[in-house]
Amino acid sequence: MAHQSVLHFSTTGRGTRDITDAVAAAVRESGVTCGVAHVFVQHTSCSLTITENADPDVRRDLETVVARLAPDGDPAYRHDTEGPDDMAAHARTMLTDTALTVPVGGGRLLLGTWQGIYLWEHRTAPHRRSVVVTVLG
């Protein structure tokens, strides 16, 4: 059995947005009780991550880490068509991930107690993002 949903999110610019509840709703809607949920973001300048959902300092610190690895406006970048954050956003996406797979059991996501699914916007300006959730079981 397969079920697919496309979820749409507006971001406020760089940072994380918790999408766990929306993905969980897509899993419930699928009717799958045992299987996997594959979550994929259809963009090249944002990503998905599973990380701690209790302390927001974790997500702020992760932002600090990727900012060190892929700083905005590095003079070595050639791709800057959409501004100083353009290439940095692409690099941050490559360093993180555009897809996640989460087990489904009992009709729900089998995330750990302190885990949440986050859409991670790497651009500084707000964007509209699409996330495909495919549930197989």
Side-chain angles (χ1 to χ4, degrees):
M1 176 178 189
H3 182 269
Q4 196 167 67
S5 303
V6 180
L7 310 175
H8 302 282
F9 301 97
S10 294
T11 69
T12 58
R14 185 169 284 158
T16 55
R17 177 181 174 156
D18 188 344
I19 64 169
T20 310
D21 289 344
V23 174
V27 169
R28 283 191 304 276
E29 180 184 301
S30 76
V32 171
T33 58
C34 181
V36 294
H38 183 264
V39 187
F40 175 77
V41 65
Q42 296 180 302
H43 304 278
T44 62
S45 56
C46 66
S47 60
L48 299 168
T49 191
I50 294 176
T51 193
E52 180 169 330
N53 62 5
D55 184 355
D57 284 343
V58 170
R59 294 185 307 281
R60 280 192 287 272
D61 290 347
L62 289 171
E63 185 63 46
T64 299
V65 170
V66 297
R68 289 177 181 162
L69 296 173
D72 290 338
D74 187 314
Y77 298 156
R78 294 174 72 177
H79 178 75
D80 61 359
T81 307
E82 296 178 43
D85 68 330
D86 196 0
M87 187 58 221
H90 293 297
R92 290 169 182 218
T93 298
M94 185 204 64
L95 292 168
T96 53
D97 215 339
T98 56
L100 304 169
T101 302
V102 181
V104 172
R108 63 180 189 81
L109 293 168
L110 295 179
L111 291 168
T113 302
W114 307 112
Q115 289 181 319
I117 301 171
Y118 291 86
L119 173 61
W120 195 348
E121 179 62 64
H122 299 303
R123 299 303 306 269
T124 57
H127 283 79
R128 184 96 168 126
R129 302 302 194 178
S130 299
V131 175
V132 179
V133 180
T134 305
V135 186
L136 303 169

